[in-house]
Amino acid sequence: AKRAGRNGYFFFNEGMQDEAEHFLDVHNNILKGIQENQFVLHYQPIMSLNNGRIVKCEALIRWKHPDKGLMQPDEFIPIAERTGAIRELGNWVLKQACKDHRKFMENDIDIQIAINRSVNEFYSARAYEKWKAIIRENGIDCRKLVFEITESLFMDKHVNRINVVSALRKMGIEFAVDDFGTGYSAINYLRSYPVNYLKIDKSFIQDLLHDEQDRTLVEVIVKMGTALNIGVIAEGVENDGQVDVLRSFGCEYIQGYWLAPALPIEQAIAFCQDAQDS
Ligand code: C2E
Ligand code: CA
Ligand code: CA
Ligand code: CA
């Protein structure tokens, strides 16, 4: 943590130096890992409760680290966001998701792919041009892409970010508010950023059966989404009881271990095929 001295100077203590070195290390290893194909996207199915169909899969990144084995995103995404490596990594994710979408299509699976985008990826028109190029090179129909963003992006009045979001929306890319309910409590951003989906964070779903307050909040979020014509996706759904409650509230989409965890692409394709056939 940063500490301001008596005169307002920042002291650079040993712990901070260690942290800085660790960050630099991870940063360089991420860039190297991209070159050496150490990253992989797993896919978690999202089902519509209206018809039981798998309508989307969320791409969740994993790092096949040469020394540390399979690393989960919580171990490196927050660092990548701070060092800026997230920009390179985010470009890789978009490219890979486009390629993987084609693989789903080749297996007659017609779904949307949702990818997580960090706020710091939305920095400039240059980022937008880069994404447009990636999308064009890979020939994906933009309507098949959903960008999941946390509320902090929408709270930001930064003009570049607003422009980038509306340009992407015009191309046909859909937007979901990720971790909805955990960040800012203001919702007026929904007026200036007409998003397509709200994803209710799993912390609200966890105790849905036992916590009266969580149940009320989830019901209200679903009602609000419906009234505003915004799709609602509940994440972290693990059991039948939660499915029943969500269904009774009219929540349209669910995602979670009840349905399936994030799966390697071949398994995700097989899962979608099974769901189609049954
Ligand atoms: P998230 O976007 O909120 O993703 C949902 C997380 O919940 C995933 O963890 C998923 O595996 C996990 N999950 C899914 N179903 C259940 C369930 O039923 N119960 C429980 N307890 N957990 C469930 P994961 O894959 O470890 O990802 C963690 C976070 O890392 C994600 O949270 C997202 O914020 C970030 N992330 C993942 N991939 C990317 C990426 O490609 N780019 C960026 N910028 N962030 C990513
Ligand atoms: Ca997400
Ligand atoms: Ca979440
Ligand atoms: Ca998240």
Side-chain angles (χ1 to χ4, degrees):
K2 267 185 199 161
R3 217 161 28 127
R6 203 182 300 147
N7 303 318
Y9 292 108
F10 285 98
F11 290 108
F12 200 69
N13 63 38
E14 242 172 69
M16 284 169 67
Q17 175 132 17
D18 288 349
E19 192 182 51
E21 276 168 14
H22 173 61
F23 275 28
L24 188 62
D25 217 41
V26 176
H27 180 83
N28 290 330
N29 282 331
I30 288 174
L31 300 185
K32 186 157 159 259
I34 296 172
Q35 296 304 319
E36 298 184 354
N37 282 316
Q38 293 170 7
F39 292 94
V40 62
L41 296 177
H42 284 184
Y43 288 92
Q44 186 173 35
I46 299 173
M47 190 178 88
S48 164
L49 284 175
N50 291 353
N51 52 26
R53 292 228 171 100
I54 308 301
V55 287
K56 311 175 200 308
C57 280
E58 178 178 1
L60 293 158
I61 197 169
R62 305 288 182 258
W63 188 357
K64 290 183 177 165
H65 197 281
D67 313 320
K68 294 176 187 154
L70 197 68
M71 279 172 79
Q72 303 299 312
D74 290 336
E75 295 176 70
F76 58 90
I77 290 288
I79 298 178
E81 286 175 341
R82 287 188 57 185
T83 69
I86 195 68
R87 295 173 184 182
E88 282 298 318
L89 198 56
N91 288 343
W92 178 85
V93 169
L94 177 59
K95 196 181 296 174
Q96 192 60 42
C98 292
K99 287 184 188 156
D100 287 346
H101 183 262
R102 181 176 304 185
K103 220 164 167 184
F104 277 100
M105 294 293 283
E106 283 165 1
N107 285 278
D108 294 318
I109 306 298
D110 186 7
I111 50 159
Q112 286 181 305
I113 300 230
I115 63 180
N116 292 282
R117 310 262 77 184
S118 295
V119 174
N120 345 20
E121 293 180 63
F122 285 76
Y123 55 101
S124 72
R126 225 177 61 226
Y128 165 70
E129 292 299 335
K130 177 77 192 166
W131 295 347
K132 213 166 71 174
I134 292 173
I135 287 165
R136 203 180 292 132
E137 278 160 25
N138 289 280
I140 191 173
D141 176 352
C142 287
R143 290 169 302 178
K144 298 299 177 185
L145 278 175
V146 181
F147 282 7
E148 298 193 1
I149 321 281
T150 52
E151 285 165 290
S152 53
L153 181 94
F154 304 109
M155 301 306 291
D156 197 323
K157 293 262 158 54
H158 201 284
V159 76
N160 271 337
R161 290 180 178 164
I162 297 178
N163 289 341
V164 171
V165 171
S166 41
L168 294 168
R169 281 294 311 269
K170 279 200 194 103
M171 288 169 66
I173 294 172
E174 294 196 316
F175 279 78
V177 183
D178 210 353
D179 302 341
F180 185 75
T182 60
Y184 302 82
S185 49
I187 49 173
N188 57 335
Y189 67 85
L190 292 175
R191 295 197 296 206
S192 32
Y193 285 98
V195 300
N196 307 86
Y197 308 97
L198 302 177
K199 291 194 80 171
I200 307 180
D201 190 62
K202 57 176 175 278
S203 57
F204 290 97
I205 306 301
Q206 216 159 23
D207 295 324
L208 198 57
L209 300 175
H210 312 288
D211 189 318
E212 186 95 27
Q213 199 170 15
D214 284 358
R215 203 158 52 232
T216 305
L217 282 168
V218 169
E219 186 173 15
V220 168
I221 294 170
V222 172
K223 279 215 173 87
M224 182 181 78
T226 309
L228 294 173
N229 202 19
I230 299 173
V232 178
I233 304 170
E235 68 171 32
V237 179
E238 295 184 352
N239 57 54
D240 292 343
Q242 293 164 336
V243 176
D244 291 342
V245 171
L246 289 162
R247 199 192 292 276
S248 76
F249 291 163
C251 177
E252 184 168 3
Y253 305 103
I254 58 162
Q255 173 182 7
Y257 299 157
W258 179 82
L259 187 63
L263 301 164
I265 180 155
E266 287 77 18
Q267 289 177 41
I269 288 171
F271 183 91
C272 293
Q273 285 172 334
D274 281 354
Q276 257 179 9
D277 296 340
S278 61

